[in-house]
Amino acid sequence: MKQIIYIILLLPLFAISQSELKGTVFEDNASKTPLPGANVIWYGTTVGDVTDFDGKFTIPYKKEYNKLIISYVGYKTDTLLISSPKTITHYLKPTSELDEIEITSRKKPSSISYLSSQNVINVSSDELLKAACCNLSESFETNPSIDVNFADAVTGTRQIKMLGLTSPYILIATENIPSIRGASQAFGLSFIPGTWVESIQITKGAGSVVNGYESITGQINAELVKPTTDDKLFVNLYGASNARLELNTHFNTKVSDKWTTGVYLHGSTLNTKHDVNNDNFLDMPLYNQVNVMNRWQYTNPEKGLVSFINLKYLKDDKQTGEIDFNPETDKLTTNNWGSEIDTERYEVSAKLGYVNAELPWQSIGVQAAFSGHQQDSYFGLNTYDIEHNSLYANVIYNTIISDSRHKIKTGISYTYDHYDELVNTTDFNRTENSIGGFLEYNYFNLDKLNVTAGLRVDRHNLLGTFVTPRLHLRYTTWEKGVFRASVGRGKRSANILAENQKLFSTSRNINILNTTGAIYGLDPEIAWNYGVSFLQGFRVFGRKGEVIADFYRTDFKNQVVVDYENAQQVNFYNLAGESYANSFQVELHYEPFNNFNTRLAYKNYDVKTQFNSGKLERPLTPKHRFFANASYETEVDEGESRQWKFDATYNWLGAQRLSSTQNNPIQYQLSEYSKTVATFNAQVTKVFSPKFEVYLGGENIFNTRQENPIVSADNPFGSSFDTTFVYGPIFGANYYAGLRFKIK
């Protein structure tokens, strides 16, 4: 007891003896106006303070703290070098620059913020270059939070999953404008070339209400390269052992002091037939794609204006099926099974941002986009055509309450979608439109707490009026320890045909079992997402590391169940029972020595749905996944700017449940679970100069292949034919090489 009393009595002495840095932050003017609510933080830590109404702050000081960052909305962010505890005075300069100023030492290819209230993974262009990354669907191979696999055995389409659920439950945006949705859901990720992407932000959980109500498991936002910061000329040439060829070129030029434009060209082709597993079907489709974007950027710092205008055009043609299939003679006949998928798409989008020069914490942003999507396709004897015209508009107003600790986003959004679908001889035609308003409040105290609370109300012509609440919280438990929690609701209309086009590559009968709902006779999908995560930074042997653990649960209040449990049918119906997805992930980042980074991750899924035949695991969802990535870069040769880069990624997937095939003849019945799958990818890059580099890599170097991925491949017009039981690679090992040339 005496020892406890002594400790209590000595605590004030310890507190007094701690070193502190004190100071005052002023506006940069002669009157010395205090700046309340300015953020003050030690670089590389979460130790900070917010200035009071007199502009004063006090934060702990340690000898290892040497860089102090001071920031305020609408003012230039400054970094001060501090060598000892003392009292300082600092003046911040106003700025009308719209881009956020960020102080970094060596840019991390992939990182998680210690300060954001949302669980956001930032993926830079350096991370994207670690793999071939020919389009957005291939940009997640080195990221453990996103699962990537082929959707079926014939179209070559890659599908992604987050938190155990497929991409329709993820809001996928391009520069915060929802883009991969509706008709583009199945193939849209392959319509964004990898070289066009500057960075990707992956948000786990419900996400922000600003971008809409459809997000359920998370949001993925792809930021495109900017004409003002991209290279004047960029060329990327890629070739693979499977005869896939790609060419990407960027041309950027400054038109005037305020206008810059860029033309981005992408062409890709594969015209060699491959049948490695000898099942008489192409292992990958033959295709040609032409993709063009013209991008304009307007910047006027004096007036606080910045704007982007994008014009895009895409033509994508695919052919797949049996080796001997000839579209001119075999289309929609039983001569040979084959498929053609021809897509033409155009997009126009614009963004305008304005910062009030006199009140720099006030800004307004306007987003608008229109797209036209036409897909003409057939799969064996099934015809599927879809036309989708879409309009999106969003106005966002940003301001603060009292000081920069209290931020507000509010605005209004509008969406319009017209669908015209033809399935064999049946027409599905509908128009959806909605208008909604949103309000998002953010309390940001750098020292401890960051809370974002959002609410939006939408009026939808088919779904009625509904409310979408979302909440994100970040709390600093101790130094380098960050706890996050989130909860949010999402609602969406399921585009059951466009999102499940793989069903047309089967002999299954399509049945919609409900008739009273607003869309295809079905009710909208509604789900709540709950999540917690913990991030802890550490040092071992003087080297930095991080460990991240998170758990998320998606709980469906209503779901459109896609039921493959009868091998001759695919049934769509409203959920009658429980459906949920639990996702647990633990991830370790560590840098054992300079320029060598390692990442290890383990993921566990528990995803179950109430089908008409009972409560079952979601098909083709591995319960266990292990991920490992290692990358190393040599020091840059200062004289010649030469450098080597090495990267390797290992993925292991546990057994996956296969939907029932018990109604098939015995020779076409599959086991209940798949085999485990392990893949290994590697790439080496040689940088010869700032202008030129070459790369060489391999995908699936272990040559892992799923044997006989097509059920009843020998009888494709029989009742058991099915191409959807894909749980691993089909082609086997693939090697590639390429070069990049750029002029700054």
Side-chain angles (χ1 to χ4, degrees):
M1 178 63 71
K2 289 183 178 180
Q3 291 177 334
I4 296 175
I5 293 173
Y6 290 152
I7 292 173
I8 294 173
L9 291 173
L10 288 172
L11 279 176
L13 296 178
F14 287 126
I16 293 172
S17 65
Q18 287 181 344
S19 298
E20 293 179 335
L21 178 73
K22 297 182 179 181
T24 307
V25 180
F26 294 98
E27 292 186 27
D28 187 28
N29 56 34
S31 63
K32 287 192 174 183
T33 303
L35 203 56
N39 298 317
V40 183
I41 187 172
W42 291 112
Y43 172 73
T45 76
T46 58
V47 179
D49 193 12
V50 177
T51 57
D52 61 20
F53 287 101
D54 296 320
K56 297 183 181 298
F57 68 89
T58 302
I59 58 174
Y61 172 81
K62 294 181 181 179
K63 62 180 180 180
E64 55 265 32
Y65 299 160
N66 53 22
K67 290 183 180 180
L68 186 72
I69 299 176
I70 303 177
S71 62
Y72 188 83
V73 176
Y75 289 77
K76 182 180 178 182
T77 298
D78 288 338
T79 301
L80 310 182
L81 296 178
I82 305 295
S83 58
S84 62
K86 54 186 176 181
T87 300
I88 65 172
T89 298
H90 187 71
Y91 299 90
L92 282 182
K93 295 181 180 180
T95 177
S96 57
E97 293 290 339
L98 295 178
D99 291 333
E100 188 176 300
I101 299 174
E102 185 176 346
I103 306 297
T104 59
S105 51
R106 187 167 58 88
K107 183 170 66 174
K108 288 185 177 181
S110 179
S111 64
I112 299 177
S113 171
Y114 279 84
L115 300 177
S116 171
S117 62
Q118 300 183 37
N119 191 2
V120 181
I121 303 160
N122 297 291
V123 181
S124 72
S125 58
D126 289 347
E127 180 75 13
L128 300 178
L129 294 178
K130 288 183 177 182
C133 188
C134 295
N135 58 60
L136 189 59
S137 71
E138 300 167 321
S139 300
F140 304 103
E141 297 287 353
T142 61
N143 191 292
S145 294
I146 302 294
D147 302 307
V148 185
N149 196 18
F150 289 100
D152 56 69
V154 293
T155 65
T157 307
R158 293 179 188 246
Q159 65 175 6
I160 64 172
K161 294 181 181 180
M162 181 189 293
L163 307 185
L165 296 172
T166 53
S167 57
Y169 298 108
I170 309 168
L171 191 152
I172 305 175
T174 303
E175 299 191 315
N176 290 313
I177 296 176
S179 55
I180 310 299
R181 55 188 300 274
S184 65
Q185 187 66 247
F187 305 105
L189 288 171
S190 66
F191 296 162
I192 302 179
T195 64
W196 293 8
V197 179
E198 181 182 71
S199 64
I200 299 174
Q201 294 79 47
I202 302 169
T203 303
K204 287 187 174 183
S208 171
V209 296
V210 174
N211 297 323
Y213 53 81
E214 294 180 318
S215 169
I216 290 177
T217 63
Q219 299 183 0
I220 296 175
N221 179 58
E223 284 292 325
L224 304 183
V225 293
K226 312 295 189 293
T228 55
T229 56
D230 192 25
D231 302 310
K232 289 184 179 179
L233 172 66
F234 174 83
V235 178
N236 178 59
L237 181 62
Y238 166 96
S241 59
N242 61 11
R244 174 180 175 179
L245 297 174
E246 297 209 5
L247 175 64
N248 292 280
T249 57
H250 304 181
F251 304 92
N252 293 284
T253 184
K254 193 167 185 178
V255 179
S256 67
D257 291 341
K258 296 179 175 61
W259 283 98
T260 307
T261 188
V263 177
Y264 305 85
L265 306 174
H266 167 87
S268 56
T269 183
L270 194 159
N271 286 305
T272 300
K273 296 182 177 182
H274 297 281
D275 181 18
V276 177
N277 57 7
N278 298 313
D279 63 358
N280 201 41
F281 274 78
L282 295 174
D283 296 328
M284 57 192 69
L286 309 177
Y287 73 89
N288 293 286
Q289 184 184 116
V290 175
N291 207 337
V292 183
M293 177 173 68
N294 181 208
R295 187 159 161 83
W296 291 80
Q297 180 174 353
Y298 174 83
T299 306
N300 188 336
E302 292 79 13
K303 294 185 177 180
L305 289 170
V306 64
S307 179
F308 293 94
I309 301 172
N310 298 327
L311 309 171
K312 298 181 187 178
Y313 174 78
L314 166 89
K315 187 74 170 69
D316 182 85
D317 298 329
K318 293 182 175 68
Q319 177 193 322
T320 189
E322 292 188 275
I323 289 288
D324 297 328
F325 173 74
N326 183 344
E328 295 183 1
T329 58
D330 301 339
K331 177 180 178 180
L332 296 172
T333 72
T334 57
N335 296 339
N336 289 289
W337 194 99
S339 169
E340 287 186 292
I341 308 167
D342 298 335
T343 304
E344 189 170 22
R345 181 179 175 87
Y346 56 89
E347 301 176 49
V348 179
S349 63
K351 295 175 64 176
L352 173 66
Y354 167 73
V355 173
N356 188 330
E358 297 181 358
L359 302 172
W361 56 84
Q362 294 183 355
S363 66
I364 189 168
V366 180
Q367 302 169 321
F370 176 79
S371 64
H373 185 110
Q374 177 70 50
Q375 176 186 319
D376 299 319
S377 55
Y378 62 90
F379 305 80
L381 300 178
N382 291 319
T383 298
Y384 179 66
D385 297 337
I386 180 170
E387 181 179 355
H388 177 196
N389 294 319
S390 176
L391 175 65
Y392 172 85
N394 199 18
V395 180
I396 308 166
Y397 175 70
N398 295 271
T399 188
I400 63 174
I401 302 174
S402 177
D403 58 60
S404 63
R405 288 174 296 182
H406 307 274
K407 301 181 179 71
I408 290 288
K409 286 184 181 179
T410 187
I412 189 170
S413 59
Y414 174 78
T415 60
Y416 168 90
D417 295 284
H418 177 75
Y419 297 92
D420 190 357
E421 295 174 281
L422 175 66
V423 180
N424 297 323
T425 59
T426 304
D427 271 309
F428 294 93
N429 193 307
R430 77 180 191 275
T431 298
E432 295 186 44
N433 60 73
S434 68
I435 186 167
F438 56 86
L439 175 67
E440 188 172 80
Y441 166 75
N442 175 244
Y443 172 75
F444 189 13
N445 183 328
L446 280 174
D447 187 38
K448 284 291 183 183
L449 187 64
N450 187 351
V451 179
T452 302
L455 186 74
R456 65 177 296 135
V457 179
D458 290 271
R459 172 64 182 173
H460 192 285
N461 67 317
L462 300 180
L463 307 184
T465 302
F466 54 93
V467 178
T468 303
R470 288 173 187 171
L471 177 68
H472 300 268
L473 177 147
R474 183 227 72 182
Y475 181 74
T476 303
T477 53
W478 46 72
E479 187 175 351
K480 287 290 185 178
V482 175
F483 171 79
R484 287 185 174 91
S486 67
V487 59
R489 182 182 188 266
K491 186 172 184 176
R492 63 181 297 271
S493 55
N495 294 284
I496 59 173
L497 302 173
E499 295 167 3
N500 297 280
Q501 293 188 42
K502 65 180 182 179
L503 67 86
F504 297 118
S505 298
T506 72
S507 294
R508 296 172 181 260
N509 294 318
I510 303 171
N511 302 312
I512 301 175
L513 304 185
N514 296 88
T515 59
T516 59
I519 300 173
Y520 304 106
L522 299 164
D523 295 331
E525 296 190 296
I526 301 172
W528 284 86
N529 183 278
Y530 314 89
V532 292
S533 68
F534 187 76
L535 166 63
Q536 179 65 59
F538 63 86
R539 280 184 175 270
V540 174
F541 304 117
R543 312 300 304 179
K544 289 183 179 180
E546 294 174 336
V547 61
I548 308 107
D550 59 50
F551 175 81
Y552 286 87
R553 178 181 175 89
T554 305
D555 194 4
F556 284 92
K557 301 307 176 185
N558 185 55
Q559 186 178 24
V560 173
V561 178
V562 185
D563 188 343
Y564 281 81
E565 298 306 315
N566 183 323
Q568 275 69 52
Q569 300 176 356
V570 55
N571 295 313
F572 296 94
Y573 50 85
N574 293 321
L575 177 69
E578 188 180 27
S579 181
Y580 62 84
N582 293 331
S583 170
F584 170 75
Q585 179 174 322
V586 59
E587 188 174 347
L588 173 68
H589 300 179
Y590 185 60
E591 185 181 19
F593 52 87
N594 285 344
N595 301 331
F596 182 72
N597 289 282
T598 60
R599 280 184 291 167
L600 302 174
Y602 167 75
K603 189 150 51 178
N604 178 276
Y605 287 135
D606 176 22
V607 186
K608 289 187 173 69
T609 298
Q610 182 68 45
F611 295 93
N612 284 343
S613 55
K615 188 176 179 179
L616 302 169
E617 293 179 28
R618 189 74 58 87
L620 298 173
T621 303
K623 191 174 183 64
H624 305 280
R625 179 192 175 193
F626 178 75
F627 168 94
N629 174 267
S631 60
Y632 174 70
E633 299 179 2
T634 62
E635 294 292 342
V636 179
D637 183 322
E638 294 184 3
E640 302 291 336
S641 297
R642 296 176 179 175
Q643 186 184 29
W644 286 92
K645 299 179 181 180
F646 305 88
D647 189 83
T649 302
Y650 173 80
N651 263 298
W652 180 87
L653 301 179
Q656 306 171 47
R657 190 183 77 84
L658 305 177
S659 55
S660 176
T661 55
Q662 295 307 304
N663 292 341
N664 283 342
I666 188 68
Q667 68 269 30
Y668 300 136
Q669 291 183 11
L670 303 177
S671 59
E672 185 178 0
Y673 283 87
S674 72
K675 297 179 180 179
T676 61
V677 175
T679 59
F680 180 74
N681 301 339
Q683 179 177 285
V684 179
T685 303
K686 171 60 176 176
V687 180
F688 290 95
S689 72
K691 293 183 178 180
F692 182 69
E693 62 187 59
V694 298
Y695 55 93
L696 176 68
E699 298 174 308
N700 190 20
I701 294 174
F702 291 163
N703 199 33
T704 302
R705 291 205 312 268
Q706 177 184 345
E707 297 180 3
N708 304 317
I710 300 177
V711 177
S712 185
D714 58 337
N715 185 19
F717 296 100
S719 62
S720 300
F721 178 71
D722 201 316
T723 70
T724 63
F725 291 93
V726 178
Y727 59 85
I730 298 172
F731 181 75
N734 180 47
Y735 297 93
Y736 61 87
L739 62 85
R740 302 184 186 99
F741 175 77
K742 49 195 172 184
I743 298 176
K744 298 290 185 181

